[in-house]
Amino acid sequence: NRIGDLGRNLMSDMGGVYTLGTSFGTRVHHNIVHDVNSLNYGGWGLYADEGCEGVVFECNLTWNTADAGMYQHFGTGCVARNNIFGPSRENGALRLKPVTKEGIAPSFDFCRNLCYNPAGCFVAKGSDEVAGVRSQNLFFGPEDDCGFDGKAFDEWQSAGHGRGNVFADPKFADAAVGDVTLAKDSPALALGFVEFDWRAAGRRSRDW
């Protein structure tokens, strides 16, 4: 699906793709979510709301979102892998809410994703309180001292929250216009990222 122009600064607490509750076997994939603008809060790309469990998000592209490209309110056993998370005004690519419900501690795996954000934030504060693997991701944008849960990238890595990640230019064809085609020598490919056809998402011309 191609999902865009949502919220329009009139709605809050919403995202491009919304999931809720226990959903083992659910796979959210090959969607483009772009231009999500909230009124007061929210405006996520992929939104795993309360109690999400067992959902896999892969091969999605989010671009120009008000809040994080990937947000889990609380839940466990969910995975985001091989996605491209583009510019967001707040909280970058990943935001996780560290809430334990009915004795179930939250968890979330975030692996082999490309995270590009000219605003400079990549992992929202509080996200590291949620258990899970954060590995083989590529991050790129302005380097600052608090873009990774309040830490600089090197500090975040050394704290054990992200192993095998790199901060490097992914070599998009033209990020300014949203062309995220990778150059053959992109460091993302060396991390194991698998390119997917993001141009194929959306409506087709068809005789009904």
Side-chain angles (χ1 to χ4, degrees):
N1 302 288
R2 188 181 187 98
I3 306 160
D5 299 318
L6 303 179
R8 302 195 177 191
N9 300 309
L10 298 171
M11 298 177 63
S12 298
D13 193 21
M14 47 83 192
V17 176
Y18 179 91
T19 61
L20 180 71
T22 298
S23 306
F24 285 106
T26 295
R27 180 171 169 250
V28 177
H29 62 96
H30 291 91
N31 301 287
I32 292 179
V33 179
H34 66 92
D35 298 293
V36 184
N37 293 292
S38 57
L39 175 62
N40 295 315
Y41 70 98
W44 299 288
L46 308 174
Y47 183 6
D49 203 2
E50 299 186 6
C52 267
E53 189 175 17
V55 182
V56 174
F57 301 86
E58 62 183 341
C59 299
N60 301 287
L61 167 63
T62 71
W63 205 262
N64 291 337
T65 56
D67 210 313
M70 179 77 244
Y71 174 53
Q72 178 176 274
H73 188 173
F74 62 83
T76 189
C78 294
V79 178
R81 65 189 179 210
N82 212 86
N83 302 284
I84 300 174
F85 296 108
S88 79
R89 293 198 301 275
E90 296 182 41
N91 296 309
L94 180 64
R95 183 180 182 185
L96 304 173
K97 192 168 184 178
V99 175
T100 296
K101 288 283 187 177
E102 299 179 356
I104 300 174
S107 69
F108 195 92
D109 290 345
F110 191 80
C111 306
R112 214 171 63 239
N113 299 289
L114 273 61
C115 310
Y116 164 73
N117 193 16
C121 179
F122 299 95
V123 179
K125 289 184 178 180
S127 297
D128 287 347
E129 297 177 44
V130 175
V133 177
R134 323 270 194 264
S135 69
Q136 294 175 279
N137 300 291
L138 181 146
F139 301 94
F140 186 63
E143 294 189 61
D144 60 37
D145 295 331
C146 59
F148 294 84
D149 198 0
K151 308 175 186 68
F153 179 69
D154 290 344
E155 181 186 3
W156 183 69
Q157 287 269 84
S158 63
H161 299 298
R163 300 186 181 279
N165 301 297
V166 300
F167 197 99
D169 187 344
K171 299 187 178 180
F172 291 140
D174 193 345
V177 297
D179 185 345
V180 294
T181 304
L182 296 175
K184 291 183 179 179
D185 61 345
S186 169
L189 300 175
L191 288 174
F193 183 85
V194 179
E195 282 199 275
F196 56 91
D197 188 3
W198 50 274
R199 289 187 174 90
R203 189 170 54 190
R204 305 288 192 278
S205 297
R206 182 180 299 178
D207 294 324
W208 293 97

